[in-house]
Amino acid sequence: MASDQKNLLIKKIDGTLMQAMLASKDISQLLKIAQQYGHFHWFNLTDRWENKAVENHIFQFAQPYLKDLRRAENPTKITHVISEGHDTGGHTPLCLNIVKEQKARGREVELFITKRATPKVIEEIKLAGITLKSFPDNGLPQLLELSKQFLQSKAVVLHINPDDIVATLAAMLAEQNGIPCFFVNHANIHFSYGPAQCSAVLEITAASWLSTAKYRSPKSQSFLGIPAATVDRATLNALNLDNLKPEGSYFVSVGTRNKYRLNSDTQFIDFVEFLCGQKQQQLLIVGPGDAPSFHKLSDAARRNLSVLGPTERQTTLALMANAIAYIDSFPEGGGSSVVNAMSLGLPIFGHRISEGMYGDEFLSPSMEDLRERVSDFIDNGPDTAALQERSDFIRDHMSIQACVDRLESTISGENCPIPFNYSNFDMDLDFHHREWSQTDNLVVPPIIKINKS
């Protein structure tokens, strides 16, 4: 599909959904269309990062249904909201680690789930003694219930999906009643509902801070960070990894299949051929599972490559702890896995293509530089002083405790700065949007009927 044709389709779908929302006279229908609107821009990486006008229009439409709700006197609880809880990825542990740490500090905390969570996630929440509430019904009933609950809170922290319009509207009501809400910016490269409506956007990386400042209209920003997992070496060492990890020394990489772009990009596969084929090093990739691209490797490379599907978090940490070095996924870099690799003191290598996290001095500006750095490591070993400095930085600034300190400071009215100098690192904030615009990919909402030809 030609780029100009794709842009016309995007504008047509956007306009059709906007008109449908303006014409809708039914709150339940309006919320459904709004969710489709958010879903469309979220999954398509269009150049629309937010739409405050849509949020305000729907809130005005919903206000008559919310007029009898009242704020509680002197509320003390902090309410965290997550749209979905998953066993893999970094979104869920970021939320749970923060809530559990606040609970351990004696804070009154609760967690709401607006869509769904896996049994494992629910069990983890219950074992931590955290009050859990779920709201399976979409639409007006969910909006009313969430709004009632938010009005009983001292503050609200949103870890929501980009299309979660209902949680955003409840937060708007809370803000209107003087209850501060905070948006954790997991959606740093996507459209999202919510950032413009909250008291502050809690940024998790330098890139998320810069993208919010450039493409959104936040009231304020404060740095949260991605908390590193608390590592208990004894627990990790007790796990049986015999059937999972290669024998002998190995590199490790962790990520979902889309982070490596295995179906559309050859750069990571070319690097695997270099590392496993040419350099005869073992590589364990955790997360993507088998893919046709791996079968294109040479026999020598395939002999030195081990690939796992989604793996339980503690097992993943143990596999990382036993590795000699970490390979950051590319073209889309990792998040929590990179932070954990730093915390574990692993040498880290990767290819800087898009936005960065914590300065990312370990990322190479070119594939040639990456190969040179890896070759030097194989020949000469790691720079132990640099690894210790990086690990100390994570301990001091990106531990769960440090991240919760910043969260609680933000709730108290402070804006926390980024705790490192990121100005010397070039961050391409448009990379993913530019890449997507050059593909034929277009997710069309099911309520839209459109002729692409």
Side-chain angles (χ1 to χ4, degrees), residues 183-202:
F183 181 90
V184 181
N185 189 14
H186 297 270
N188 63 304
I189 64 170
H190 301 286
F191 167 94
S192 186
Y193 289 126
Q197 306 294 349
C198 292
S199 290
V201 177
L202 292 164

Side-chain angles (χ1 to χ4, degrees), residues 5 60 104 110 122 151 153 170 180 212 227 268 273 280 348 374 385 443:
Q5 182 187 22
Q60 290 174 4
E110 59 187 2
I122 292 172
L151 291 175
S153 303
T212 293
F268 190 80
E273 182 64 49
Q280 291 291 291
I348 304 174
V374 170
V443 179

Side-chain angles (χ1 to χ4, degrees), residues 361-425:
E361 86 291 344
F362 50 82
L363 293 184
S364 295
S366 67
M367 291 301 294
E368 180 181 4
D369 182 77
L370 174 59
R371 289 190 291 267
E372 288 177 358
R373 290 192 190 191
V374 170
S375 296
D376 180 72
F377 167 73
I378 293 170
D379 294 337
N380 302 308
D383 181 341
T384 55
L387 296 181
Q388 187 61 54
E389 182 180 354
R390 191 184 291 160
S391 181
D392 291 343
F393 167 79
I394 295 297
R395 184 193 63 240
D396 294 341
H397 298 288
M398 298 299 157
S399 65
I400 295 170
Q401 293 75 19
C403 291
V404 171
D405 286 345
R406 286 191 291 268
L407 170 63
E408 297 196 337
S409 294
T410 305
I411 291 173
S412 298
E414 298 179 32
N415 284 335
C416 301
I418 299 175
F420 58 92
N421 181 11
Y422 58 90
S423 60
N424 294 327
F425 298 96

